[in-house]
Coordinates of all heavy atoms in Angstrom, one line a residue:
D81 N 16.3 -7.4 -13.3 CA 16.5 -8.1 -14.6 C 15.4 -8.0 -15.5 O 15.3 -8.8 -16.4 CB 17.0 -9.4 -14.3 CG 16.0 -10.3 -13.8 OD1 14.9 -9.9 -13.6 OD2 16.2 -11.5 -13.5
G82 N 14.6 -6.9 -15.4 CA 13.4 -6.8 -16.4 C 12.4 -7.7 -16.1 O 11.6 -7.8 -17.2
G83 N 12.3 -8.4 -15.1 CA 11.2 -9.3 -14.9 C 11.4 -10.8 -15.4 O 10.6 -11.6 -15.3
N84 N 12.7 -11.1 -15.7 CA 13.1 -12.4 -16.0 C 13.1 -13.3 -14.9 O 12.7 -14.6 -15.0 CB 14.4 -12.3 -16.7 CG 14.5 -11.8 -18.0 OD1 13.5 -11.9 -18.8 ND2 15.6 -11.2 -18.5
N85 N 13.3 -12.9 -13.7 CA 13.3 -13.7 -12.5 C 12.4 -13.1 -11.4 O 12.5 -11.8 -11.3 CB 14.8 -13.9 -12.0 CG 15.6 -14.6 -12.9 OD1 15.4 -15.8 -13.2 ND2 16.5 -14.0 -13.6
W86 N 11.7 -13.9 -10.7 CA 10.8 -13.4 -9.7 C 11.1 -14.1 -8.3 O 11.4 -15.3 -8.4 CB 9.3 -13.6 -10.0 CG 8.9 -12.8 -11.1 CD1 9.1 -13.1 -12.5 CD2 8.5 -11.4 -11.1 NE1 8.6 -12.1 -13.3 CE2 8.1 -11.0 -12.4 CE3 8.0 -10.6 -10.0 CZ2 7.5 -9.8 -12.7 CZ3 7.4 -9.4 -10.3 CH2 7.2 -9.1 -11.7
A87 N 11.0 -13.4 -7.2 CA 11.3 -14.1 -5.9 C 10.1 -13.7 -5.0 O 9.5 -12.7 -5.0 CB 12.5 -13.5 -5.3
L88 N 9.7 -14.7 -4.2 CA 8.7 -14.6 -3.3 C 9.2 -13.6 -2.2 O 10.3 -13.7 -1.5 CB 8.2 -15.8 -2.6 CG 7.1 -15.9 -1.6 CD1 5.8 -15.5 -2.2 CD2 7.0 -17.3 -0.9
V89 N 8.3 -12.6 -1.9 CA 8.6 -11.6 -0.7 C 7.6 -11.8 0.4 O 6.3 -11.7 0.0 CB 8.5 -10.2 -1.3 CG1 8.8 -9.2 -0.2 CG2 9.6 -10.0 -2.4
E90 N 7.9 -12.0 1.6 CA 7.1 -12.1 2.7 C 6.7 -10.8 3.2 O 7.6 -9.8 3.4 CB 7.6 -12.9 3.8 CG 8.0 -14.4 3.5 CD 6.7 -15.1 3.3 OE1 5.6 -14.9 3.8 OE2 6.9 -16.1 2.5
T91 N 5.4 -10.5 3.5 CA 5.0 -9.1 3.9 C 4.6 -9.2 5.4 O 4.5 -8.2 6.1 CB 3.7 -8.7 3.2 OG1 2.6 -9.7 3.5 CG2 4.0 -8.7 1.7
G92 N 4.6 -10.3 6.1 CA 4.3 -10.3 7.4 C 2.9 -10.4 7.8 O 2.5 -10.2 9.0
T93 N 2.0 -10.4 6.8 CA 0.6 -10.5 7.0 C -0.1 -11.5 6.1 O 0.6 -11.9 5.1 CB 0.0 -9.1 6.7 OG1 -1.4 -9.1 6.8 CG2 0.2 -8.7 5.3
T94 N -1.2 -11.9 6.4 CA -2.0 -12.8 5.7 C -3.0 -12.1 4.8 O -3.9 -12.7 4.1 CB -2.7 -13.9 6.6 OG1 -3.6 -13.0 7.4 CG2 -1.8 -14.7 7.3
A95 N -2.9 -10.9 4.7 CA -4.0 -10.1 3.9 C -3.8 -10.4 2.5 O -2.7 -10.7 1.9 CB -3.6 -8.5 4.1
K96 N -5.0 -10.3 1.7 CA -4.9 -10.4 0.4 C -4.5 -9.1 -0.2 O -5.0 -8.0 0.2 CB -6.5 -10.6 -0.3 CG -7.2 -11.8 0.0 CD -8.4 -11.8 -0.7 CE -9.4 -10.8 -0.2 NZ -10.8 -10.8 -0.6
L97 N -3.5 -9.0 -1.0 CA -2.8 -7.8 -1.5 C -3.5 -7.4 -2.9 O -3.7 -8.2 -3.7 CB -1.4 -7.9 -1.7 CG -0.5 -8.3 -0.4 CD1 0.9 -8.4 -0.7 CD2 -0.8 -7.3 0.7
M98 N -3.9 -6.1 -3.0 CA -4.7 -5.6 -4.1 C -3.9 -4.7 -4.9 O -4.2 -4.8 -6.1 CB -5.9 -4.7 -3.5 CG -6.7 -5.4 -2.4 SD -7.5 -6.9 -3.1 CE -8.6 -7.2 -1.9
D99 N -2.8 -4.1 -4.4 CA -2.1 -3.0 -5.3 C -0.9 -2.8 -4.6 O -0.7 -2.9 -3.3 CB -2.9 -1.8 -5.4 CG -2.4 -1.0 -6.6 OD1 -1.6 -1.5 -7.4 OD2 -2.8 0.2 -6.7
V100 N 0.2 -2.4 -5.3 CA 1.5 -2.2 -4.8 C 2.1 -1.0 -5.8 O 1.8 -0.9 -6.9 CB 2.5 -3.3 -4.9 CG1 2.8 -3.9 -6.2 CG2 3.8 -3.0 -4.1
F101 N 2.8 0.0 -5.1 CA 3.4 1.1 -5.9 C 4.7 1.5 -5.2 O 4.7 1.7 -3.9 CB 2.4 2.2 -5.9 CG 2.9 3.4 -6.8 CD1 2.5 3.4 -8.1 CD2 3.7 4.4 -6.4 CE1 3.1 4.4 -9.0 CE2 4.2 5.4 -7.2 CZ 3.9 5.4 -8.5
F102 N 5.7 1.7 -6.0 CA 6.9 2.2 -5.5 C 7.2 3.6 -6.1 O 7.2 3.8 -7.3 CB 8.2 1.3 -5.9 CG 8.3 0.2 -4.9 CD1 7.4 -1.0 -4.9 CD2 9.2 0.3 -3.9 CE1 7.7 -1.9 -4.0 CE2 9.5 -0.7 -2.9 CZ 8.6 -1.9 -2.9
A103 N 7.5 4.5 -5.2 CA 7.7 5.9 -5.7 C 9.2 6.1 -6.1 O 9.4 7.0 -6.9 CB 7.5 7.0 -4.5
D104 N 10.1 5.2 -5.7 CA 11.5 5.2 -6.1 C 12.0 3.8 -5.6 O 11.2 2.9 -5.3 CB 12.2 6.3 -5.3 CG 12.2 6.4 -3.8 OD1 12.1 5.2 -3.2 OD2 12.1 7.5 -3.2
T105 N 13.3 3.6 -5.7 CA 13.8 2.3 -5.5 C 13.6 1.8 -4.1 O 13.8 0.6 -3.7 CB 15.2 2.2 -5.8 OG1 16.0 3.2 -5.1 CG2 15.5 2.5 -7.3
L106 N 13.4 2.7 -3.2 CA 13.3 2.3 -1.7 C 11.9 2.3 -1.2 O 11.5 1.4 -0.3 CB 14.2 3.2 -0.9 CG 15.7 3.1 -1.1 CD1 16.4 4.1 -0.1 CD2 16.1 1.7 -0.7
H107 N 11.1 3.3 -1.4 CA 9.8 3.6 -0.8 C 8.7 3.1 -1.7 O 8.3 3.4 -2.8 CB 9.7 5.2 -0.7 CG 10.7 5.8 0.1 ND1 11.8 6.3 -0.4 CD2 10.8 6.0 1.4 CE1 12.6 6.8 0.5 NE2 12.0 6.6 1.7
G108 N 7.9 2.1 -0.9 CA 6.8 1.5 -1.6 C 5.6 1.2 -0.6 O 5.9 1.1 0.6
W109 N 4.5 1.0 -1.2 CA 3.3 0.8 -0.4 C 2.4 -0.3 -1.0 O 2.5 -0.4 -2.3 CB 2.5 2.1 -0.4 CG 3.1 3.3 0.4 CD1 2.9 3.6 1.7 CD2 4.0 4.1 -0.2 NE1 3.7 4.6 2.0 CE2 4.4 5.0 0.9 CE3 4.6 4.2 -1.3 CZ2 5.4 6.0 0.8 CZ3 5.6 5.3 -1.6 CH2 5.9 6.1 -0.5
A110 N 1.8 -1.0 -0.2 CA 0.8 -1.9 -0.8 C -0.5 -1.9 0.0 O -0.5 -1.5 1.1 CB 1.4 -3.5 -0.6
L111 N -1.6 -2.3 -0.7 CA -2.9 -2.3 -0.2 C -3.3 -3.8 0.1 O -3.1 -4.6 -0.7 CB -3.9 -1.7 -1.1 CG -3.7 -0.2 -1.5 CD1 -4.8 0.2 -2.5 CD2 -3.5 0.7 -0.2
G112 N -4.0 -4.0 1.2 CA -4.4 -5.4 1.5 C -5.6 -5.4 2.3 O -6.1 -4.4 2.9
E113 N -6.3 -6.6 2.3 CA -7.6 -6.8 3.1 C -7.4 -8.1 3.9 O -7.1 -9.1 3.4 CB -8.7 -6.9 2.2 CG -10.0 -7.0 2.9 CD -11.2 -7.3 2.0 OE1 -11.0 -7.5 0.8 OE2 -12.3 -7.2 2.5
E114 N -7.5 -8.0 5.2 CA -7.5 -9.2 6.1 C -8.7 -9.9 5.9 O -9.8 -9.4 5.5 CB -7.2 -8.7 7.5 CG -5.8 -8.1 7.7 CD -4.7 -9.1 7.9 OE1 -4.9 -10.3 7.6 OE2 -3.6 -8.7 8.2
E115 N -8.8 -11.2 6.5 CA -10.0 -12.0 6.5 C -11.1 -11.4 7.3 O -12.3 -11.6 7.0 CB -9.6 -13.4 7.1 CG -8.8 -14.2 6.2 CD -8.7 -15.6 6.8 OE1 -9.3 -16.0 7.6 OE2 -7.7 -16.3 6.2
D116 N -10.9 -10.5 8.3 CA -11.9 -9.9 9.1 C -12.4 -8.6 8.4 O -13.1 -7.8 9.0 CB -11.5 -9.6 10.5 CG -10.3 -8.6 10.5 OD1 -9.8 -8.2 9.5 OD2 -10.0 -8.3 11.7
N117 N -11.9 -8.4 7.2 CA -12.4 -7.3 6.4 C -11.7 -5.9 6.7 O -12.1 -4.8 6.3 CB -13.9 -7.0 6.3 CG -14.6 -8.2 5.6 OD1 -14.1 -8.7 4.7 ND2 -15.8 -8.5 6.1
T118 N -10.7 -6.0 7.6 CA -9.8 -4.8 7.9 C -9.0 -4.6 6.7 O -8.3 -5.5 6.2 CB -9.0 -5.1 9.2 OG1 -9.9 -5.3 10.3 CG2 -8.0 -4.0 9.5
N119 N -8.9 -3.4 6.3 CA -8.1 -3.0 5.2 C -6.9 -2.3 5.7 O -7.0 -1.6 6.7 CB -8.9 -2.1 4.2 CG -10.0 -2.8 3.4 OD1 -9.7 -3.4 2.4 ND2 -11.2 -2.9 4.1
L120 N -5.7 -2.6 5.0 CA -4.5 -2.0 5.5 C -3.5 -1.5 4.4 O -3.8 -1.8 3.3 CB -3.8 -2.9 6.4 CG -3.7 -4.3 6.0 CD1 -2.4 -4.6 5.1 CD2 -3.7 -5.3 7.0
I121 N -2.8 -0.5 4.8 CA -1.7 0.0 4.0 C -0.4 -0.5 4.4 O -0.1 -0.1 5.7 CB -1.7 1.5 3.8 CG1 -3.1 2.0 3.3 CG2 -0.6 2.0 3.0 CD1 -3.3 3.4 3.3
L122 N 0.3 -1.3 3.7 CA 1.7 -1.7 4.1 C 2.8 -0.8 3.6 O 2.5 -0.2 2.5 CB 2.0 -3.2 3.6 CG 1.1 -4.2 4.0 CD1 1.3 -5.5 3.2 CD2 1.2 -4.5 5.4
V123 N 3.8 -0.6 4.3 CA 4.9 0.3 3.7 C 6.2 -0.4 3.8 O 6.6 -1.2 4.6 CB 5.0 1.7 4.6 CG1 5.3 1.3 5.9 CG2 5.9 2.6 3.8
S124 N 7.1 -0.1 2.8 CA 8.5 -0.6 2.7 C 9.5 0.6 2.5 O 9.0 1.4 1.6 CB 8.6 -1.7 1.7 OG 10.0 -2.0 1.6
V125 N 10.5 0.7 3.3 CA 11.5 1.7 3.0 C 12.8 1.1 2.6 O 13.7 2.0 2.6 CB 11.5 2.7 4.3 CG1 10.3 3.3 4.6 CG2 12.0 1.8 5.6
D126 N 12.8 -0.1 2.2 CA 14.1 -0.7 1.9 C 13.9 -1.5 0.6 O 14.5 -2.6 0.4 CB 14.7 -1.6 3.0 CG 13.7 -2.8 3.4 OD1 12.7 -2.9 2.8 OD2 14.0 -3.4 4.4
G127 N 13.1 -1.0 -0.3 CA 12.9 -1.6 -1.6 C 12.1 -2.9 -1.6 O 12.2 -3.6 -2.6
G128 N 11.4 -3.1 -0.6 CA 10.4 -4.3 -0.6 C 11.0 -5.4 0.2 O 10.4 -6.5 0.2
V129 N 12.1 -5.4 0.8 CA 12.7 -6.4 1.5 C 11.9 -6.7 2.8 O 11.6 -7.8 3.1 CB 14.2 -6.1 1.9 CG1 14.7 -7.3 2.8 CG2 15.0 -6.0 0.7
N130 N 11.6 -5.6 3.5 CA 10.7 -5.7 4.7 C 9.6 -4.8 4.6 O 9.5 -3.7 3.9 CB 11.5 -5.2 5.9 CG 12.7 -6.1 6.1 OD1 12.6 -7.1 6.5 ND2 14.0 -5.6 5.9
W131 N 8.3 -5.3 5.1 CA 7.1 -4.6 5.1 C 6.5 -4.4 6.4 O 6.7 -5.3 7.3 CB 6.1 -5.3 4.1 CG 6.5 -5.3 2.7 CD1 7.3 -6.2 2.1 CD2 6.1 -4.4 1.8 NE1 7.5 -5.8 0.8 CE2 6.7 -4.8 0.5 CE3 5.3 -3.3 1.8 CZ2 6.6 -4.1 -0.6 CZ3 5.2 -2.5 0.6 CH2 5.8 -2.9 -0.6
S132 N 5.8 -3.4 6.7 CA 5.2 -3.2 8.0 C 3.8 -2.5 7.8 O 3.6 -1.8 6.8 CB 6.0 -2.3 9.0 OG 6.2 -1.1 8.5
I133 N 2.9 -2.7 8.6 CA 1.5 -2.1 8.6 C 1.7 -0.7 8.9 O 2.1 -0.3 10.1 CB 0.5 -2.8 9.4 CG1 0.3 -4.3 8.9 CG2 -0.8 -2.1 9.4 CD1 -0.6 -5.2 9.8
Q134 N 1.3 0.2 8.0 CA 1.4 1.6 8.2 C 0.0 2.2 8.7 O 0.0 3.1 9.4 CB 1.8 2.3 7.0 CG 2.0 3.8 7.2 CD 2.6 4.5 5.9 OE1 2.0 4.3 4.9 NE2 3.6 5.2 6.0
H135 N -1.1 1.7 8.2 CA -2.5 2.3 8.5 C -3.5 1.1 8.2 O -3.3 0.3 7.4 CB -2.7 3.4 7.5 CG -4.0 4.1 7.7 ND1 -4.2 5.0 8.8 CD2 -5.2 4.1 7.1 CE1 -5.4 5.5 8.7 NE2 -6.0 4.9 7.7
T136 N -4.5 1.2 9.1 CA -5.6 0.2 9.0 C -6.9 1.1 8.9 O -6.9 2.2 9.5 CB -5.8 -0.7 10.1 OG1 -5.9 0.0 11.3 CG2 -4.6 -1.7 10.3
T137 N -7.9 0.6 8.2 CA -9.2 1.3 8.0 C -10.3 0.4 7.7 O -10.0 -0.8 7.2 CB -9.0 2.3 6.9 OG1 -10.2 3.1 6.8 CG2 -8.6 1.7 5.6
D138 N -11.5 0.8 7.8 CA -12.7 0.0 7.4 C -13.0 0.3 6.0 O -13.9 -0.4 5.4 CB -13.9 0.5 8.3 CG -13.8 0.0 9.7 OD1 -13.0 -1.1 9.9 OD2 -14.3 0.6 10.6
Y139 N -12.4 1.4 5.3 CA -12.6 1.6 3.9 C -12.1 0.5 3.1 O -11.0 0.0 3.3 CB -11.9 2.9 3.4 CG -12.6 4.2 4.1 CD1 -11.8 5.0 4.9 CD2 -13.8 4.6 3.8 CE1 -12.2 6.1 5.5 CE2 -14.3 5.7 4.4 CZ -13.4 6.5 5.2 OH -14.0 7.6 5.7
M140 N -12.8 0.1 2.0 CA -12.3 -0.8 1.1 C -11.4 -0.2 0.1 O -11.7 0.5 -0.8 CB -13.4 -1.7 0.4 CG -12.8 -2.7 -0.5 SD -14.1 -3.7 -1.3 CE -14.9 -4.6 0.1
L141 N -10.1 -0.4 0.3 CA -9.0 0.3 -0.5 C -8.9 -0.4 -1.8 O -8.9 -1.6 -2.0 CB -7.8 0.3 0.3 CG -7.9 0.9 1.7 CD1 -6.5 0.8 2.5 CD2 -8.2 2.4 1.7
T142 N -8.8 0.4 -2.9 CA -8.7 -0.2 -4.2 C -7.3 0.1 -5.0 O -6.9 -0.7 -5.7 CB -9.9 0.3 -5.1 OG1 -9.9 1.7 -5.1 CG2 -11.1 -0.2 -4.5
D143 N -6.8 1.3 -5.0 CA -5.6 1.7 -5.7 C -4.9 2.8 -5.0 O -5.4 3.4 -4.2 CB -6.0 2.3 -7.1 CG -6.6 1.3 -8.1 OD1 -5.9 0.3 -8.4 OD2 -7.7 1.5 -8.5
L144 N -3.6 2.8 -5.3 CA -2.7 3.8 -4.9 C -1.8 4.3 -5.8 O -1.3 3.6 -6.7 CB -2.1 3.4 -3.4 CG -0.8 2.4 -3.6 CD1 -0.1 2.5 -2.3 CD2 -1.3 1.0 -3.7
F145 N -1.3 5.6 -5.5 CA -0.3 6.2 -6.4 C 0.4 7.2 -5.7 O -0.2 8.1 -4.9 CB -1.0 6.9 -7.7 CG 0.0 7.6 -8.6 CD1 0.6 6.8 -9.5 CD2 0.2 8.9 -8.5 CE1 1.5 7.4 -10.4 CE2 1.1 9.5 -9.4 CZ 1.7 8.7 -10.3
F146 N 1.7 7.3 -5.8 CA 2.5 8.3 -5.1 C 3.3 9.1 -6.2 O 3.7 8.5 -7.2 CB 3.5 7.6 -4.2 CG 3.0 7.4 -2.8 CD1 2.0 6.3 -2.7 CD2 3.3 8.1 -1.8 CE1 1.5 6.0 -1.4 CE2 2.7 7.8 -0.4 CZ 1.8 6.8 -0.3
T147 N 3.5 10.4 -6.0 CA 4.3 11.2 -7.0 C 5.7 11.2 -6.6 O 6.5 11.6 -7.3 CB 3.7 12.6 -7.0 OG1 3.7 13.2 -5.8 CG2 2.3 12.5 -7.7
D148 N 6.0 11.1 -5.2 CA 7.3 11.0 -4.6 C 7.1 10.2 -3.4 O 6.1 9.7 -2.9 CB 7.9 12.4 -4.5 CG 7.1 13.3 -3.7 OD1 6.5 12.9 -2.5 OD2 6.9 14.5 -4.0
S149 N 8.2 10.2 -2.5 CA 8.1 9.4 -1.3 C 7.2 9.9 -0.1 O 7.1 9.3 0.8 CB 9.6 9.1 -0.7 OG 10.1 10.3 -0.4
M150 N 6.8 11.2 -0.4 CA 5.9 11.8 0.6 C 4.5 12.1 0.2 O 3.6 12.0 1.1 CB 6.5 13.2 1.0 CG 8.0 13.1 1.6 SD 8.1 12.1 3.0 CE 7.5 13.1 4.3
T151 N 4.2 12.2 -1.1 CA 2.9 12.7 -1.5 C 2.2 11.5 -2.3 O 2.7 11.0 -3.3 CB 3.0 13.8 -2.5 OG1 3.8 14.8 -1.9 CG2 1.6 14.3 -2.8
G152 N 1.0 11.1 -1.8 CA 0.3 10.0 -2.4 C -1.2 10.0 -2.2 O -1.6 10.8 -1.4
W153 N -1.9 9.3 -3.0 CA -3.3 9.1 -3.0 C -3.7 7.6 -2.9 O -3.1 6.8 -3.6 CB -4.0 9.7 -4.2 CG -3.8 11.2 -4.2 CD1 -4.8 12.1 -3.8 CD2 -2.7 12.0 -4.7 NE1 -4.2 13.4 -3.9 CE2 -3.0 13.3 -4.4 CE3 -1.4 11.7 -5.1 CZ2 -2.2 14.4 -4.8 CZ3 -0.6 12.6 -5.6 CH2 -1.0 14.0 -5.3
V154 N -4.9 7.3 -2.2 CA -5.4 6.0 -2.2 C -6.9 6.2 -2.4 O -7.5 7.0 -1.9 CB -5.1 5.3 -0.8 CG1 -5.9 4.0 -0.8 CG2 -3.7 5.0 -0.5
T155 N -7.4 5.3 -3.3 CA -8.8 5.3 -3.6 C -9.4 4.2 -2.8 O -8.8 3.1 -2.6 CB -9.1 5.2 -5.1 OG1 -8.6 4.0 -5.7 CG2 -8.6 6.4 -5.9
A156 N -10.7 4.4 -2.6 CA -11.4 3.5 -1.8 C -13.0 3.4 -2.3 O -13.4 4.3 -3.0 CB -11.5 3.8 -0.4
W157 N -13.6 2.3 -2.1 CA -15.0 2.3 -2.5 C -15.9 3.4 -1.8 O -15.4 4.1 -0.8 CB -15.6 1.0 -2.1 CG -15.3 -0.1 -3.0 CD1 -14.2 -0.2 -3.8 CD2 -16.0 -1.3 -3.2 NE1 -14.2 -1.4 -4.5 CE2 -15.2 -2.2 -4.1 CE3 -17.1 -2.0 -2.6 CZ2 -15.6 -3.4 -4.5 CZ3 -17.4 -3.2 -2.9 CH2 -16.7 -3.9 -3.9
Y158 N -17.1 3.7 -2.4 CA -17.9 4.7 -1.8 C -17.5 6.1 -2.0 O -17.6 6.9 -1.1 CB -18.4 4.3 -0.4 CG -18.9 2.9 -0.3 CD1 -18.2 2.1 0.5 CD2 -20.1 2.5 -0.7 CE1 -18.6 0.7 0.6 CE2 -20.4 1.2 -0.8 CZ -19.7 0.2 -0.1 OH -20.1 -1.0 0.0
N159 N -16.9 6.5 -3.1 CA -16.4 7.8 -3.4 C -15.4 8.3 -2.4 O -15.5 9.5 -2.0 CB -17.6 8.7 -3.5 CG -18.5 8.2 -4.6 OD1 -18.1 7.9 -5.6 ND2 -19.8 8.3 -4.3
T160 N -14.5 7.4 -2.0 CA -13.5 8.0 -0.9 C -12.2 8.0 -1.5 O -11.7 7.2 -2.3 CB -13.4 7.0 0.3 OG1 -14.8 6.8 0.7 CG2 -12.5 7.4 1.4
L161 N -11.5 9.2 -1.2 CA -10.1 9.3 -1.6 C -9.3 9.8 -0.4 O -9.7 10.7 0.4 CB -10.0 10.5 -2.6 CG -8.7 10.9 -3.2 CD1 -8.2 9.7 -4.1 CD2 -8.8 12.1 -4.1
L162 N -8.1 9.1 -0.2 CA -7.3 9.4 0.9 C -6.0 10.1 0.4 O -5.5 9.7 -0.7 CB -6.9 8.2 1.7 CG -8.0 7.3 2.3 CD1 -7.5 6.1 2.9 CD2 -8.9 8.1 3.3
H163 N -5.6 11.1 1.1 CA -4.3 11.8 0.6 C -3.3 11.9 1.7 O -3.6 12.2 2.8 CB -4.7 13.2 0.1 CG -3.7 14.0 -0.5 ND1 -3.3 15.2 0.1 CD2 -2.8 13.9 -1.5 CE1 -2.2 15.7 -0.6 NE2 -1.9 14.9 -1.5
T164 N -2.0 11.7 1.4 CA -1.0 11.9 2.3 C 0.1 12.9 1.8 O 0.4 12.8 0.5 CB -0.4 10.6 2.8 OG1 0.6 10.9 3.7 CG2 0.3 9.9 1.6
T165 N 0.8 13.6 2.7 CA 1.8 14.6 2.3 C 3.1 14.2 3.1 O 4.0 14.9 3.1 CB 1.5 16.0 2.4 OG1 1.1 16.3 3.6 CG2 0.5 16.3 1.3
D166 N 2.9 13.2 4.0 CA 4.1 12.7 5.0 C 4.4 11.2 4.7 O 4.8 10.6 5.7 CB 3.8 13.1 6.4 CG 2.5 12.3 6.9 OD1 1.9 11.4 6.2 OD2 2.1 12.6 8.0
G167 N 4.3 10.8 3.5 CA 4.7 9.4 3.3 C 3.8 8.3 3.8 O 4.1 7.1 3.9
G168 N 2.5 8.8 4.2 CA 1.5 7.8 4.6 C 1.4 7.8 6.1 O 0.6 7.0 6.7
V169 N 2.3 8.6 6.8 CA 2.1 8.6 8.4 C 0.6 9.0 8.8 O 0.1 8.5 9.6 CB 3.2 9.5 9.0 CG1 3.0 9.6 10.5 CG2 4.6 8.9 8.7
N170 N 0.1 10.0 8.0 CA -1.1 10.5 8.3 C -1.9 10.6 6.9 O -1.3 10.8 5.9 CB -1.2 12.0 8.8 CG -0.5 11.9 10.2 OD1 -1.1 11.4 11.1 ND2 0.6 12.6 10.3

């Protein structure tokens, strides 16, 4: 509805969320940081209804962008760039 109404979405984690990006109406990713400084990438394949942890890393993740449901980039501190061509599986 163009942002007129907002609903709380549970991600299943207590991570501080830093960024979210949807490549289409179903495929989305979010970046988060847990209290123990573990950084993670969350994924949703159902439009954000359900989320699961797709990847964890020690890199401090800052931004993400996908060109489609398979190809994406994540930036991190210390001149680090992560790239995926399989939707974030690797």
Side-chain angles (χ1 to χ4, degrees):
D81 65 4
N84 288 326
N85 296 290
W86 293 85
L88 180 64
V89 176
E90 296 295 332
T91 62
T93 180
T94 59
K96 289 185 298 188
L97 300 180
M98 308 299 192
D99 197 13
V100 64
F101 187 89
F102 275 80
D104 55 38
T105 58
L106 294 177
H107 300 92
W109 296 263
L111 302 180
E113 181 184 14
E114 294 282 8
E115 287 184 19
D116 66 359
N117 294 325
T118 299
N119 289 270
L120 45 91
I121 300 173
L122 301 170
V123 64
S124 176
V125 295
D126 60 7
V129 175
N130 296 291
W131 293 87
S132 60
I133 296 173
Q134 184 178 51
H135 184 73
T136 61
T137 182
D138 291 332
Y139 294 115
M140 185 176 288
L141 307 175
T142 56
D143 287 301
L144 74 157
F145 181 83
F146 278 72
T147 57
D148 56 44
S149 64
M150 301 302 281
T151 309
W153 291 264
V154 174
T155 59
W157 282 22
Y158 308 112
N159 303 319
T160 302
L161 182 66
L162 305 175
H163 180 245
T164 184
T165 58
D166 61 7
V169 174
N170 295 293

